Amino acid sequence: MTSIERAMDPNRRVANQVAETAERPPAEKPGQGAGGEGQTRPRLVELDFTELTRRGLLIPSGNDPKLEEEFRLAKRPLLKHAFPRDMRPMPRANLALVTSNTDGEGKSFTTFNLAMSIAMEMDHTVLVVDGDVSRNSLTRWLGMAGERGLTDVLDDPDLGLGDVIAQTNLDNLRVIPSGRSHSRATELMASHAMEEVAEELAGRYPDRMVLFDSPPLLMTSQAAVLANLVGQAVIVVEAGKTTQQAVQDGLNLVDPAVTKVGFMLNKAPRGKHSGYFGAY
Amino acid sequence: MQEILDQLLAYLRGFWRFRWYAMAFAWALAIGAWVYVAQVPDQYQATARFHVDTESMLTPLLRGLAISPDSQERVRFMTRTLLSRPNLEKVARMTDLDLQAKTDDEMDALVGRLKRNIRLSGTQKTNLYEISFVHSDRQKAKAVVQSLLTLFVEKSLGQSREDSANAQDFLTQKIREYETRLDQAESRLMEFKREHSGEMPDQQGDYYQRLQKARTQLEEARFQLETARSRANELASQIQGEQPVYGMMNPAGGGNRSSRTRTPDLDQRIDRLQKQLDQLLVKYTDNHPEVVSLKESLKDLRKERDQARKRLAEAQESSGSGPVPLNQNPVYQELKAALGQVRAEVAAARSRVKHYRQQVATLREKVDTIPKIEAKLAQLNRDYEITKQTYEKLLARQQSAELSEAADRSSNRMKFEVIDPPRVPPEPVAPNRPVLLGAGFGVSLLGGAALGIFLALIWPTFDTRRQLFDATGIPVIGTVTRVSTSRLRVKRATEMIGFGVTGAALLGAFAVIFAAETELMGLGFARLSDWFNGIRSLL
């Protein structure tokens, strides 16, 4: 099936997964014989909206119109670059990494909210991958700590992506948790297996947006490695906290030829313009 | 205006980022200030006033002279006399201050410190002096002033040789001064006399006479010049033939001009005699012998002339060459020669006039300056005389002072009198602790704020997407304003309260210490500075 037909028929999404088995792309690992996304019945994750609201995260029922509006604006450039109308997309443009320079600036927050915002849209599906294996905030927020996830896929040649991907109570939103904690997480992330995962994720559903959460750029090398495996990167900068020097240092680690970089200014002070949004 | 506000806001935000560093720094500065203010020792000032007849030492020496030292000199004189090194050493011994000085150097330092800290001031008109001394120990301060006064009294009662020696020195110095001035005046006078010799009063009469003589000579020379000139003109015109010679008219009418003046000499003589005759006839009759003789001479001359004319006419006819050419005419030649002579006379006269005129001018100039020179000379003389007189008087006084010194020793003249005995106010005169504390407070606040802003400037962050974009050139896909969950709000509130409490504590500490130091509200507990002073006195 061509991507156009798929796009015209959103209801076919569930059916697609089953039908995909017949069209396994040659890049799939041979060991994944029984793998592929559609083979195993995907798990279902119940999103605890109360808990999410408590954390200030977005939920579909619109708890914070201002925040919703801000993310609605922010996802546009992401989607535009990932799914351009009038030309071919850049390689792996539908893979986006969300990172920051130091800790605590709001990467997981941004990742989740971006994913939620895109998921509430009609046209696209979102897959969120928690790439921050040491501080897996996203995984914990979703209550999936300890479950099989990314590290397991990377480590175990017998496991495929389909084994760890999880559905949520939102149709458009899928999740891959970080996986069990691993002593050699850094090496795993830098391995060839990760590259293959990225390639698979990019190619499997070209109209699916994949968002990766990641560790800080300046604190480990994982983030930089990951950044160069994906097509887009969103660097979260905390207003009034991230020093200008750190921002520059972070930028130096990402190759602009490979990855399109954009900033997200988080925790900005209430300025002249911020008061308007949300009240309309 | 908006930019200024934005900039201020940015600074404030920056400071807020580093507020805890700023607070810590402010506290550190505050503690430093408190320790400093507490440990500065109090200084007390002892003062006393006394009256001394300065002139009693100087006046007898300088009475009648035009010199009187001004008040500055007097105070300096007093300071030198009363605060001399032997005096100060005595004071140090009397007050036991010298117990701290064990070596000579330390003693020197001690004496130096005493000299610096003892202030002597006096007014211009009266002889009232005030002496003050500042020290951290009240008793010591008072003791020093008291010892000084004692010393002065002792000295005044017995006029010690040192004091009058000082006055003597003063006199000797003045004498030396005047000696120099006298020498200078003398040499100036000599110089002047030498420069203008010949114009001195005793030689002056010459000039006036010479001026007169020169004037007369000038007049004479002028007159000579005039006459010579008119003669030359006459001769010249005769030669030219413009003036007809009397009696040479050719009966034929017109004719050669030269024929008229063929016998100019004779004509002249005849004219002259005729004139004389006319003059005489005014006074006398024809019978006068002079008139008669003149008439005779006249007749003779006329006859002579006719003969001469006849001869000339014959000579002219015989030669047939017309009138005799001018340059062979003997009369003409004579005239020419005469003209030449006269012209020479004119030149000579002219140069004489010039010469005399110059002489007159020079003499007149000299004569004009004579009064000025006289005046200058008089002034120099006067200067010299006065200086000499004063000098001689000073010498005399010096002599008499040495004599009177012995005589004066017996008199019990009280020249020194204490007006206000030494007193030390219980309040210290320094340091001004409240002010220092206030300054410390200001320094602490400013220092904290400065550190905050400074840190913000060297580690800048981003506050707006514009800043971020401008700095990196990378697009900012979105801005998320600060989300405040209740948990976050609580956290922030706690932290703000903490900061506020720390700040209030700082203020409170300052207030308490300020009140304690100034003994406001009678708080009862001892001042920090008292503790420090106590500790120091124990050491």
Side-chain angles (χ1 to χ4, degrees), chain A residues 54-56 66-67 70-71 73-74 77 109 234 239-244 247-248 251 261-270 274, chain B residues 2 6 13 17 459-469 471-487:
Chain A
R54 201 172 65 77
R55 291 185 184 278
K66 181 143 172 278
L67 195 65
E70 284 170 343
F71 275 98
L73 285 171
F109 173 86
V234 175
K241 188 145 161 281
T242 318
T243 66
Q244 298 187 1
V247 168
Q248 292 290 355
L251 275 178
V261 180
F263 283 122
M264 189 80 175
L265 189 66
N266 196 13
K267 305 190 196 171
R270 287 179 193 281
S274 66
Chain B
Q2 189 61 43
D6 285 339
R13 271 200 282 262
R17 252 201 303 141
W459 282 308
T461 59
F462 297 105
D463 287 316
T464 67
R465 66 195 295 167
R466 176 100 242 159
Q467 281 178 348
L468 189 49
F469 178 67
T472 58
I474 308 265
V476 180
I477 64 174
T479 323
V480 176
T481 41
R482 203 168 264 283
V483 167
S484 56
T485 60
S486 50
R487 209 170 66 174

Side-chain angles (χ1 to χ4, degrees), chain A residues 32 35-42 153 159-166 200:
Chain A
Q32 276 190 353
E37 289 184 33
Q39 284 299 60
T40 343
R41 211 182 106 78
V153 167
L159 274 180
L161 282 174
D163 301 320
V164 295
I165 210 166
E200 186 182 335

Side-chain angles (χ1 to χ4, degrees), chain B residues 12-31:
Chain B
L12 260 150
R13 271 200 282 262
F15 165 76
W16 194 244
R17 252 201 303 141
F18 291 102
R19 56 191 178 277
W20 283 106
Y21 292 96
M23 177 64 75
F25 192 56
W27 265 95
L29 286 176
I31 290 175

Side-chain angles (χ1 to χ4, degrees), chain B residues 206-362:
Chain B
D206 280 355
Y207 272 115
Y208 280 112
Q209 283 177 16
R210 280 158 67 181
L211 182 63
Q212 280 301 86
K213 225 199 305 184
R215 278 224 179 95
T216 331
Q217 281 172 335
L218 181 62
E219 279 306 309
E220 275 183 23
R222 277 225 184 92
F223 180 69
Q224 280 174 11
L225 181 61
E226 277 308 306
T227 30
R229 258 218 210 109
S230 57
R231 266 188 62 191
N233 285 343
E234 224 180 271
L235 279 172
S237 56
Q238 277 189 7
I239 288 172
Q240 293 275 351
E242 277 166 13
Q243 213 173 21
V245 179
Y246 212 43
M248 275 293 289
M249 289 280 232
N250 207 332
N256 232 331
R257 275 211 186 163
S258 51
S259 67
R260 290 197 188 159
T261 57
R262 262 188 213 164
T263 56
D265 204 18
L266 284 170
D267 292 344
Q268 256 192 354
R269 278 159 68 190
I270 291 169
D271 283 351
R272 223 184 290 141
L273 285 178
Q274 185 66 45
K275 274 203 189 102
Q276 277 185 345
L277 184 63
D278 290 342
Q279 277 183 346
L280 282 175
L281 283 174
V282 171
K283 283 195 273 188
Y284 311 117
T285 62
D286 283 356
N287 293 335
H288 197 272
E290 260 186 78
V291 175
V292 170
S293 70
L294 254 172
K295 271 193 179 160
E296 283 287 321
S297 317
L298 211 53
K299 214 171 21 179
D300 286 348
L301 271 177
R302 283 219 172 95
K303 225 191 282 182
E304 204 181 322
R305 187 171 65 178
D306 289 344
Q307 282 176 359
R309 278 207 188 134
K310 244 190 239 152
R311 254 186 302 183
L312 278 171
E314 282 168 30
Q316 191 180 349
E317 280 170 20
S318 63
S319 72
S321 59
V324 179
L326 267 175
N327 47 7
Q328 287 177 11
N329 187 347
V331 177
Y332 180 79
Q333 279 175 3
E334 237 182 75
L335 281 177
K336 253 314 216 340
L339 180 64
Q341 223 180 15
V342 172
R343 283 228 169 101
E345 262 183 52
V346 168
R350 203 177 275 145
S351 73
R352 270 208 302 284
V353 165
K354 196 163 155 189
H355 170 73
Y356 286 129
R357 199 184 286 143
Q358 239 177 28
Q359 260 201 349
V360 167
T362 324

